[in-house]
Amino acid sequence: TQLLEQSPQFLSIQEGENLTVYCNSSSVFSSLQWYRQEPGEGPVLLVTVVTGGEVKKLKRLTFQFGDARKDSSLHITAAQPGDTGLYLCAGVNYGQNFVFGPGTRLSVLP
Amino acid sequence: DSGVTQTPKHLITATGQRVTLRCSPRSGDLSVYWYQQSLDQGLQFLIQYYNGEERAKGNILERFSAQQFPDLHSELNLSSLELGDSALYFCASSVELRGSGNTIYFGEGSWLTVV
C-alpha cells in the first residue's frame, strides 16, 4: 500500500512569514500534485510536478519534486490570510491511481 | 468552478436509511472518482469508473455501491447508513485513464449527516 505523509499536520503563522510543508513517501510516483481545500469546498489543484528535481513557481508558492520522485515540498513566501486552508499532496502512481496525503492545515493570521 | 457538479449539497438522514449521491463529470471526462472525507480519516478513495466500467476500488464498504451511466454521470449509493458514515463525499473527474500528469478535478462535495 502506498502511503503519503505530510508534515506538519497543523501550522499557524502570522501574515508575512514564510513556511514550508512537506510530503513524503517510500514509494515512487509518476507525478505528484498539490491541492488546496477551503472549508466546505472541494480540493482545487495548484500544481502538478512530473520530473524528478522539478521546481515550479506559482506566484508566492514554490513547489519542488524530489530527485527520487518520492517526496515534495511546498514553500510559501510572505504568507497571506488568503493562503489559509488545507494543503493536500497527491501522488499518482504508474497505474494512474491517486494517493492522497492527510494534509497540512495552514492558518495565516492577520 | 471545476465543472464537476454534485447533488445534493447537503443531506440529513436517519440511521438505517439509504441515500443516492449524484455526480456529473466535466464535459469530456471519462473517469469518475468518489472520495469520502471525514475529520479523522482525511480524504479516502472509494472507487473509480472509466467510461462506464469499474476501474479501481479503494476503501469502499459493502453497504456502498456506485455506477457510471452511459452519459458518464455517476451515482454513489449508501445504504444501511450509520452515524459514522457522516462525511463529505466528493466526486472528481479526469479526462484520461492513463498518462503522466493526469489531473483530477473535484466537485464541491455532498455533505451527508446521519442522525
Side-chain angles (χ1 to χ4, degrees):
Chain A
T1 302
Q2 294 177 305
L3 292 175
L4 275 172
E5 298 177 347
Q6 290 189 243
S7 60
Q9 188 177 0
F10 298 97
L11 186 57
S12 181
I13 61 171
Q14 292 295 133
E15 181 177 2
E17 293 184 6
N18 302 330
L19 67 115
T20 302
V21 298
Y22 300 91
C23 174
N24 297 289
S25 175
S26 58
S27 302
V28 177
F29 293 102
S30 62
S31 63
L32 195 137
Q33 302 179 336
W34 284 92
Y35 293 79
R36 185 173 73 205
Q37 183 180 15
E38 298 186 22
E41 299 182 7
V44 176
L45 179 68
L46 296 175
V47 78
T48 300
V49 285
V50 179
T51 306
E54 181 177 3
V55 177
K56 278 191 175 178
K57 290 193 174 184
L58 184 66
K59 297 183 180 178
R60 295 177 292 100
L61 278 60
T62 301
F63 305 85
Q64 184 165 9
F65 199 14
D67 291 340
R69 307 161 75 107
K70 295 181 178 181
D71 54 81
S72 180
S73 64
L74 158 59
H75 182 80
I76 301 179
T77 304
Q80 299 177 2
D83 296 327
T84 294
L86 177 67
Y87 288 81
L88 296 160
C89 66
V92 185
N93 64 29
Y94 292 93
Q96 288 304 300
N97 293 324
F98 291 80
V99 179
F100 279 86
T104 291
R105 197 166 294 278
L106 171 66
S107 177
V108 182
L109 305 174
Chain B
D1 182 7
S2 67
V4 179
T5 304
Q6 289 187 248
T7 57
K9 293 196 186 307
H10 301 276
L11 188 58
I12 301 175
T13 190
T15 55
Q17 295 298 305
R18 171 191 170 95
V19 299
T20 297
L21 308 180
R22 194 180 190 278
C23 170
S24 293
R26 291 190 326 151
S27 178
D29 284 0
L30 298 179
S31 272
V32 169
Y33 310 75
W34 286 98
Y35 287 85
Q36 179 193 57
Q37 187 177 41
S38 56
L39 284 176
D40 57 345
Q41 291 291 325
L43 200 62
Q44 298 289 315
F45 169 67
L46 296 178
I47 198 164
Q48 178 200 358
Y49 281 83
Y50 177 78
N51 203 21
E53 294 186 2
E54 183 183 305
R55 271 295 185 255
K57 233 175 184 178
N59 301 321
I60 187 166
L61 300 173
E62 287 191 6
R63 300 183 286 109
F64 296 178
S65 65
Q67 54 184 328
Q68 186 179 27
F69 295 88
D71 66 353
L72 302 178
H73 90 271
S74 178
E75 293 181 354
L76 178 66
N77 301 296
L78 314 174
S79 61
S80 302
L81 285 168
E82 303 175 358
L83 295 177
D85 297 327
S86 296
L88 256 175
Y89 290 85
F90 285 107
C91 172
S93 73
S94 67
V95 63
E96 59 184 6
L97 178 61
R98 298 188 183 279
S100 181
N102 193 19
T103 296
I104 59 174
Y105 297 88
F106 283 83
E108 294 188 344
S110 291
W111 184 267
L112 173 65
T113 302
V114 183
V115 296

